[in-house]
Amino acid sequence: MGKIYYVMGKSSSGKDTVYKKLLERHPGFRTIVPYTTRPIREGERDGVEYFFVDDERLREMQEAEQVIEVRSYNTRCGIWTYFTADDGQIDLKTHDYLVIGTLVSYRALREYFGAEKLIPVYIEVEDGLRLARAVERERRQAEPKYSELCRRFLADEEDFSEEKLRRAGIVRRFENRDLDACLEEIEDYIRSSERV
């Protein structure tokens, strides 16, 4: 039976890089592409990072009872919604999956599929380094949205509070100061959870 290894962390913790490197090093992992109503960013591709849809498509999927979890954020650029759907991408009878997302979506998937199927991979970085990374990434955008960066950074304090991490059963944490060391630690963790 397959498992879902769920990578999460605050914005600019390096979780996207960790996720991509793990996929490169472990091509047997399947992925689950989430959905969003937010505009596509420079360098993103529909169906790769997200399926980019409108509110009408979200409603259609909700009416078809395909939506596992949904979250909306009132951003400086409008309301952006993110969701995970049971749309045929997931077959835990035959495959292991590597997923990236939020603590809220992790908890929803854990409830939907069962705690034994979800393995959390929580990435941490010191806040000053995280903020510097976020500013540098935003600076590279064609139209930087620094106010949204600040909103996300502050919202992470609430979204990933110690209490919420505890309630979600997040015990193991992976410090992402050195990417290679972080990846090795995560891979050891994945190997040990495969034996369980």
Side-chain angles (χ1 to χ4, degrees):
M1 293 296 240
K3 293 183 180 175
I4 298 173
Y5 296 91
Y6 203 99
V7 178
M8 66 193 122
K10 294 176 180 176
S11 59
S12 300
S13 61
K15 63 186 176 295
D16 292 300
T17 301
V18 166
Y19 172 77
K20 288 174 185 171
K21 291 288 186 185
L22 287 172
L23 283 176
E24 286 173 13
R25 293 163 90 156
H26 302 274
F29 276 135
R30 295 283 181 104
T31 61
I32 302 168
V33 179
Y35 291 74
T36 185
T37 63
R38 79 156 165 77
I40 193 167
R41 290 181 185 149
E42 191 174 320
E44 290 180 325
R45 292 168 293 158
D46 187 39
V48 178
E49 292 83 7
Y50 292 96
F51 289 114
F52 294 91
V53 298
D54 59 16
D55 290 327
E56 182 179 331
R57 179 69 180 128
L58 168 58
R59 276 192 299 280
E60 290 170 0
M61 293 179 79
Q62 286 174 316
E63 288 170 8
E65 298 183 354
Q66 291 180 296
V67 175
I68 297 171
E69 60 85 24
V70 61
R71 339 137 260 104
S72 294
Y73 302 96
N74 189 5
T75 75
R76 302 250 182 220
C77 306
I79 295 176
W80 291 349
T81 300
Y82 297 82
F83 62 100
T84 308
D86 192 350
D87 59 357
Q89 296 183 66
I90 306 165
D91 178 7
L92 288 172
K93 292 179 182 155
T94 56
H95 302 292
D96 285 325
Y97 294 83
L98 187 66
V99 176
I100 186 169
T102 67
L103 187 60
V104 170
S105 61
Y106 164 76
R107 291 182 70 182
L109 264 67
R110 187 180 69 173
E111 186 175 317
Y112 189 83
F113 290 108
E116 69 283 355
K117 298 288 184 195
L118 270 287
I119 310 298
V121 180
Y122 182 66
I123 310 297
E124 283 190 324
V125 172
E126 184 271 324
D127 282 346
L129 178 55
R130 219 168 43 80
L131 184 57
R133 288 177 178 178
V135 169
E136 184 54 38
R137 180 177 70 188
E138 199 62 32
R139 186 177 285 133
R140 291 191 304 263
Q141 297 296 312
E143 293 182 36
K145 294 178 174 64
Y146 295 109
S147 58
E148 174 55 19
L149 175 157
C150 293
R151 184 208 62 81
R152 263 193 335 264
F153 190 85
L154 294 172
D156 280 344
E157 292 306 307
E158 173 65 21
D159 294 345
F160 291 96
S161 70
E162 287 301 318
E163 180 183 336
K164 287 181 180 177
L165 289 170
R166 185 178 40 74
R167 280 190 306 205
I170 306 299
V171 177
R172 186 76 186 266
R173 299 164 189 231
F174 300 93
E175 182 70 32
N176 189 15
R177 277 190 219 127
D178 175 272
L179 180 60
D180 289 329
C182 182
L183 286 167
E184 285 180 30
E185 192 177 346
I186 291 168
E187 288 173 320
D188 287 344
Y189 174 66
I190 289 171
R191 280 190 290 273
S192 69
S193 70
E194 288 172 341
R195 292 190 291 268
V196 176

